[in-house]
Amino acid sequence: MMSNRKPGLETLSVHAGTPPDPTTGARQMPIYQTSSFVFDDADHAASLFNLQLPGFIYSRLSNPTVSALEERIAALEDGLGATATASGHAAQILALFPLMHPGDEIIAANKLYGGSINQMGISYKKFGWNASFVDPDDPENFRRAITDKTKAIFIESLANPGGVVVDIEAVAAIAHDTGIPLIVDNTMATPYLCKPFEHGADIIVHSTTKFLSGNGSSIGGCVVDSGKFNFAGRDKYPSLSQPAPEYHGLTFSETFGDLAYTMHSHAVGLRDLGACQSPINAWITLLGIETLALRMERHCENAAKVASYLETHPAIDWVSYAGLESSKYFDLRKRYMPRGAGGVFTFGLKGGYDAGVTLVDRCELLSHLANIGDTRSLILHPASTTHRQLTEEQLKAAGAGPEVIRISIGIETVEDIISDLEQALTGLELATVAE
Ligand SMILES: *Cc1c(COP(=O)(O)O)cnc(C)c1O
């Protein structure tokens, strides 16, 4: 018998969504590698298609292995429902899809993963969605930017990559004053470090590609709904508050109550945008989440040691890690992420661009690539890779100046990580600053 105790995060990471398989007794979650599911009879099929009965039809809409992942991530975030997606970027589109119509806008933090700035600033325009970006260091900047077309605020709890922490409670209060939801990208912090719903967020998105799957093997994403934002009767959100003609006039907020947003994300979002997660990726991600707490603890511990080492290195100008007392986000981080500051941070080389290129070429243990959240330590020089199309001015604005290195600290023996950086940094303190 399970006790009444609410299970802890470590327990949920292993058990949520995956009881023993009722037909075979399989203890590990089976991979339901199937496109479709047989109907009992014509009436059963009709009830499924009318959303009158829960069940599986076709894996673009839902799949048992993917549902197990959704249930597990929802449990970890204390959410009511979740929708797994093909990638983190797909999750961001799915998250906005029930809320937005042409001409609508979101207010987003200007300190976000670079890919999100591109997606929102450039590609959303093709849907007629507008995004404006404000500095999240002063939460009042969000209030000042809100118009009657604003349908959501979007922030990252711990922003990729520079260790920026946002005052989630202050931004949530501003969103709720205006009657709009706050969406938080919790990819870098993970629910191990930060629980955005406890601080007033309404919707959470994840790139499960990173720390949740944790092995650098599978692209995926997830949208989690707290179930607390009330869409019923809100003209601002007609997709949820008004009848859906293709479902014979069913109104999502009336029929599904707190689950309206998640039901819409499956029955309309995944149905029409098609960005579903594959069963095999969901399975790999479930496996990864089993060790989330252990890995995050080690990522944070190792990153803190590497950051302290780098901070005193003569070749290094600055280190931006919210776990260091020198970080201006140190206090906010302690409040929102008391267990640690994550595994990713940036630092600046005195030797500028040339030193950056030399450093990434010399690293042997650290892999030079564009990802974060792997068990392996990763290093990237944004100015010569992901951000190389930008001018020097744009590079600086994006926090990716010529001297900036992004690092994602893995779970290896920390002395080995430091020793690899030590050999790679040798002599770089002699390089002159490239102004
Ligand atoms: C990687 C990342 C994304 C995009 O996720 P993909 O899985 O690569 O599509 C979004 N937000 C953050 C914070 C990320 O690090």
Side-chain angles (χ1 to χ4, degrees), residues 162 183 270:
I183 305 176
L270 287 180

Side-chain angles (χ1 to χ4, degrees), residues 250-263:
L250 165 159
T251 298
F252 278 86
S253 58
E254 271 174 28
T255 305
F256 300 112
D258 293 348
L259 272 171
Y261 177 88
T262 297
M263 285 301 295

Side-chain angles (χ1 to χ4, degrees), residues 227-269:
K228 292 195 186 121
F229 193 91
N230 186 12
F231 294 102
R234 302 283 312 281
D235 290 344
K236 219 179 171 87
Y237 301 104
S239 299
L240 297 166
S241 65
Q242 284 169 23
E246 77 273 40
Y247 288 116
H248 311 293
L250 165 159
T251 298
F252 278 86
S253 58
E254 271 174 28
T255 305
F256 300 112
D258 293 348
L259 272 171
Y261 177 88
T262 297
M263 285 301 295
H264 188 278
S265 293
H266 283 267
V268 183

Side-chain angles (χ1 to χ4, degrees), residues 87-89 92 113 116 156 160 185 187 207 209-210 219-220 372:
S87 67
H89 269 184
Q92 291 170 189
Y113 166 65
S116 299
E156 289 178 15
N160 179 359
D185 182 337
T187 298
S207 166
T209 312
K210 315 292 170 53
I219 301 280
I372 58 166

Side-chain angles (χ1 to χ4, degrees), residues 2-12 74-79 195 198:
M2 287 293 253
S3 69
N4 287 332
R5 222 189 93 78
K6 184 179 179 299
L9 180 112
E10 290 79 359
T11 307
L12 293 172
L76 293 179
E77 291 287 15
D78 286 324
K195 300 293 281 286
E198 287 175 6

Side-chain angles (χ1 to χ4, degrees), residues 10 33 82-83 152 160 215 275 286 308 419:
E10 290 79 359
Q33 192 66 36
T83 308
N160 179 359
N215 296 288
L286 278 166
S308 299
S419 153

